[in-house]
Amino acid sequence: MDMYIKSISDLKKQVDTYSMKQVGMRREGVVTYCGDGIVHITGLTECRYGELLEFSDGIYGIAFNMEEDSVGAVLLSGQEDVYEGMQVLGSERVVEVPVGKHLLGRVVNPLGEPLDGKGRIHAKQKRAIECEAPRIMDRQKVDTPLKTGLLAIDSMIPIGRGQRELIIGDRQTGKTAIAIDTIINQKNQNVVCVYVAIGQKASTIAQIIDTLEKNDAMDYSIVVASPASDLAPMQYIAPYAGCAMAEDFMHNGQDVLIIYDDLSKHAVAYRTMSLLLKRPPGREAYPGDVFYLHSRLLERAAHMSTANGGGSITALPIAETMSGDIAAYIPTNLISITDGQIFLETELFNSGIRPAVNVGLSVSRVGGAAQTKAMKKVSGQLRLDLAQYREMAVFAQFSSELDKQTQRLLAQGERLTQILKQKQFSPAPENEQVVLLAVIQDKMLLDIPLENIDDFKVKFVEHIGYVCPDVLMKIESKGLFDDDMQETIRKAAQKFIDDYLEGLEK
Amino acid sequence: MEGLIITAFKLDDDAVDKIEKKFSKHINAEVKLKQEVDRALLGGFIVHIRNHMYDYSIKRRLEDMNKYLLSD
């Protein structure tokens, strides 16, 4: 009721102070050509690059090509309602999206309009979708971990807040699964998540939203969706729109995780647009500025300095490869832009190693600095162990007789691989990861049969939570795992393993 | 400079003359306005001139009000 009265008195004021001067003038043009979502417009003087153009009936376009006496524009929707001779008005502004906390829990299109049927978004502020990346002096180094909850990633390919880590792999290798697991693991971590779906099937997006809802992850998430049925320009602006929403949180000192799923389709959408606008094609028919297309987007991920609020945007772009070819145009571009990549392989995925991370080809260039001391202490040896194991495993296929040491190495590698397997939607907290890794690092699991490792893992973690909760607490609160704590765990583990083996014999 | 004026009702030459003078001064060029009638404007007028639109119609003001009421 209060709001109602306020709006009436407000309205009276508006009427009283209404002056003709407010009306002002608007620049107008006329459509001379339209087709394939591309419009040519004459008139429309002083049009700005990237300006939002208004056609009648809520149809919008973006000015992209400035020529001497015409403007080339792309339509964001409603291409069948645009006709030659139609009036076009310049809006004096670039494309903007609503930003702020009202977007949390919502599914929106790249223009910030709701798609979830939950009513209007009461956002007070708007932000231009294209925006300059934070300057060098406004940033600081990445120093806080962003925990994915996936043991294989948190231990060997750690991601820090403000980092850009590419998730790359063939279709059906679990790329999106890693991203979704990471979002789910941000619960109670005070991280806002933005999931940008570009050119995906609407059914897939619906499924992802459903998953997020079931895991209570929508409360702190925004989904920006541009399904495959959208026009290419709409898909093209989707990641920038998502990034603008993320930036607002970052500039308010919040930590944000943004996922672009996926940038290969984004590049394809941009290629479609560019070719229709008659821009010259380059390698794989992509336009010349396809590198800049992604670099200017990913540069907007940052860790702001304390003076600037200390917020961050962590970006997890996803790229799809064709039969493992990471030397294609878009994947190489993205690899060189990002601070590392998580490479997923079909072969690993099909042999049951999930997440199907290829540890050899995956790196994180800055995440190591963000790892907690506890994690660093127990994960240092992992990569080497796995590499040795893989080398030896290939070699061991040819000879049946192996010396004791090699057998141990193989057994250790097999167990490590098994421990690194993790089911979807079951992120593990850091302290449990540390304890598990500590035990495997001490080569204590060699006596446990391989087929019992999964069972052991569950029971062991539960047991440790029961007998040494103080150690777990300390890892969580301080990020420390000193020698005393390690000794406590070692003793508890030895006792548990002995009991466990005894139980197996019976 | 040729222009177009759209009104809800037909204007007499005097009124058109006045508007032409105002616009001539505004854009610094002699303006000649052609008349057109569109009842949908309800009142007021719209002038199209040199790639610009000057909308002083009642229709648009009502639309503005509509937009204002629906916004926060």
Side-chain angles (χ1 to χ4, degrees):
Chain A
M1 195 64 196
D2 255 7
M3 214 180 122
Y4 187 63
I5 290 169
K6 196 178 150 217
S7 75
I8 286 184
S9 65
D10 218 24
L11 196 66
K12 269 189 183 153
K13 213 164 110 195
Q14 286 273 318
V15 172
D16 290 344
T17 57
Y18 195 88
S19 92
M20 275 307 193
K21 275 177 195 150
Q22 282 178 358
V23 177
M25 60 166 191
R26 302 192 68 182
R27 294 171 297 107
E28 65 173 352
V30 173
V31 174
T32 54
Y33 164 87
C34 60
D36 300 321
I38 302 294
V39 199
H40 290 196
I41 301 158
T42 55
L44 212 63
T45 43
E46 295 151 42
C47 182
R48 277 167 69 194
Y49 178 79
E51 183 176 338
L52 191 70
L53 306 177
E54 285 176 31
F55 300 74
S56 55
D57 302 332
I59 300 172
Y60 289 101
I62 305 175
F64 259 103
N65 269 4
M66 306 297 148
E67 280 147 39
E68 200 169 343
D69 45 21
S70 78
V71 172
V74 290
L75 290 174
L76 292 173
S77 61
Q79 59 169 331
E80 48 285 304
D81 295 324
V82 175
Y83 51 88
E84 280 175 35
M86 193 176 190
Q87 188 196 38
V88 187
L89 295 173
S91 69
E92 320 275 337
R93 59 195 166 97
V94 290
V95 185
E96 297 169 323
V97 286
V99 293
K101 61 181 184 342
H102 290 286
L103 281 157
L104 291 176
R106 303 300 301 265
V107 182
V108 295
N109 73 5
L111 293 174
E113 292 159 352
L115 295 175
D116 51 7
K118 289 183 188 162
R120 251 154 23 85
I121 291 164
H122 301 270
K124 294 212 168 51
Q125 277 177 309
K126 286 194 155 200
R127 193 180 171 85
I129 61 164
E130 293 277 3
C131 173
E132 214 175 306
R135 288 153 193 278
I136 299 169
M137 292 314 289
D138 293 342
R139 300 173 183 243
Q140 64 175 321
K141 74 186 192 80
V142 173
D143 57 8
T144 321
L146 184 113
K147 295 159 192 163
T148 64
L150 297 161
L151 184 56
I153 293 172
D154 286 344
S155 59
M156 288 179 290
I157 318 148
I159 300 169
R161 293 188 182 179
Q163 192 183 342
R164 303 152 301 168
E165 181 83 9
L166 178 70
I167 303 176
I168 185 169
D170 281 6
R171 56 178 197 88
Q172 289 294 311
T173 48
K175 301 185 295 294
T176 305
I178 288 185
I180 298 299
D181 270 347
T182 309
I183 292 183
I184 291 171
N185 197 45
Q186 300 316 309
K187 196 174 179 179
N188 304 325
Q189 301 281 328
N190 206 12
V191 174
V192 171
C193 300
V194 182
Y195 179 81
V196 186
I198 310 154
Q200 294 191 56
K201 283 179 291 208
S203 62
T204 315
I205 303 174
Q207 220 167 21
I208 288 166
I209 294 164
D210 192 50
T211 309
L212 291 178
E213 263 166 8
K214 274 190 188 136
N215 289 283
D216 303 320
M218 270 315 270
D219 303 342
Y220 53 86
S221 302
I222 304 168
V223 176
V224 181
S226 183
S229 56
D230 273 0
L231 286 177
M234 195 68 138
Q235 294 180 26
Y236 157 72
I237 63 167
Y240 302 102
C243 194
M245 294 171 192
E247 268 171 349
D248 182 67
F249 285 104
M250 174 175 80
H251 290 306
N252 284 317
Q254 279 248 27
D255 289 316
V256 191
L257 165 71
I258 185 163
I259 287 149
Y260 305 113
D261 194 358
D262 66 77
L263 289 188
S264 317
K265 292 205 183 74
H266 180 239
V268 169
Y270 186 57
R271 175 170 67 184
T272 309
M273 232 172 81
S274 297
L275 291 175
L276 287 171
L277 282 167
K278 305 232 164 66
R279 292 183 180 177
R283 183 175 159 190
E284 291 177 29
Y286 288 107
D289 60 342
V290 74
F291 186 90
Y292 179 57
L293 173 82
H294 290 145
S295 63
R296 72 168 190 267
L297 172 71
L298 292 167
E299 270 304 300
R300 286 161 75 179
H303 185 198
M304 303 300 284
S305 62
T306 323
N308 286 292
S312 71
I313 292 181
T314 311
L316 292 184
I318 295 179
E320 190 177 291
T321 53
M322 295 292 175
S323 52
D325 181 19
I326 49 171
Y329 195 20
I330 302 300
T332 42
N333 276 356
L334 287 170
I335 286 171
S336 70
I337 294 166
T338 50
D339 306 307
Q341 69 275 351
I342 296 171
F343 187 55
L344 305 175
E345 266 183 356
T346 315
E347 247 174 69
L348 293 173
F349 188 85
N350 290 339
S351 62
I353 299 171
R354 299 175 196 181
V357 180
N358 179 325
V359 180
L361 287 176
S362 303
V363 287
S364 173
R365 284 178 211 137
V366 295
Q371 253 181 335
T372 57
K373 284 206 174 88
M375 189 53 100
K376 241 183 233 169
K377 185 168 183 180
V378 291
S379 64
Q381 192 71 26
L382 275 183
R383 265 175 179 280
L384 200 66
D385 274 4
L386 270 178
Q388 280 180 340
Y389 161 65
R390 257 182 282 114
E391 194 185 333
M392 206 51 89
V394 177
F395 183 66
Q397 284 177 339
F398 302 109
S399 57
S400 50
E401 278 179 35
L402 296 163
D403 61 73
K404 212 41 179 254
Q405 206 195 342
T406 314
Q407 277 179 11
R408 258 175 77 89
L409 196 95
L410 286 176
Q412 167 76 359
E414 281 166 354
R415 277 152 189 79
L416 183 52
T417 311
Q418 194 62 33
I419 288 279
L420 291 179
K421 287 183 192 172
Q422 201 169 335
K423 284 207 181 72
Q424 217 179 331
F425 315 134
S426 56
E430 193 188 15
N431 47 18
E432 284 178 16
Q433 294 178 339
V434 169
V435 170
L436 260 177
L437 289 176
V439 174
I440 194 124
Q441 196 183 35
D442 286 342
K443 301 201 165 56
M444 292 170 86
L445 304 187
L446 289 174
D447 297 328
I448 297 172
L450 193 56
E451 61 269 24
N452 289 97
I453 290 284
D454 286 339
D455 176 59
F456 172 82
K457 184 168 125 185
V458 176
K459 286 183 179 153
F460 173 68
V461 167
E462 199 178 323
H463 177 75
I464 288 292
Y466 203 64
V467 292
C468 343
D470 47 328
V471 174
L472 288 180
M473 288 270 279
K474 219 168 166 183
I475 298 175
E476 194 182 301
S477 58
K478 295 210 179 115
L480 268 178
F481 190 58
D482 56 30
D483 292 339
D484 289 347
M485 289 155 81
Q486 190 161 12
E487 197 50 45
T488 319
I489 293 293
R490 203 174 279 154
K491 271 184 195 141
Q494 196 55 58
K495 191 171 175 307
F496 182 74
I497 289 168
D498 290 343
D499 291 350
Y500 186 81
L501 287 174
E502 211 170 284
L504 278 185
E505 274 165 32
K506 280 178 193 164
Chain B
M1 181 66 55
E2 289 263 311
L4 177 70
I5 180 164
I6 307 171
T7 46
F9 305 95
K10 193 153 169 40
L11 291 180
D12 52 43
D13 292 347
D14 228 29
V16 176
D17 233 39
K18 266 188 183 163
I19 294 171
E20 276 176 353
K21 278 210 179 98
K22 276 266 183 197
F23 273 96
S24 299
K25 210 173 148 197
H26 179 67
I27 66 165
N28 238 339
E30 187 74 19
V31 171
K32 208 78 204 129
L33 292 174
K34 226 171 78 184
Q35 257 208 73
E36 216 172 85
V37 174
D38 182 1
R39 297 301 294 265
L41 294 190
L42 300 174
F45 64 89
I46 298 175
V47 170
H48 293 277
I49 194 164
R50 210 167 61 179
N51 291 331
H52 287 84
M53 180 181 81
Y54 302 81
D55 195 336
Y56 296 99
S57 69
I58 298 290
K59 184 185 169 203
R60 204 192 73 96
R61 290 163 75 175
L62 285 174
E63 276 169 3
D64 273 2
M65 194 177 285
N66 183 37
K67 250 188 226 162
Y68 176 75
L69 284 175
L70 284 177
S71 69
D72 293 300

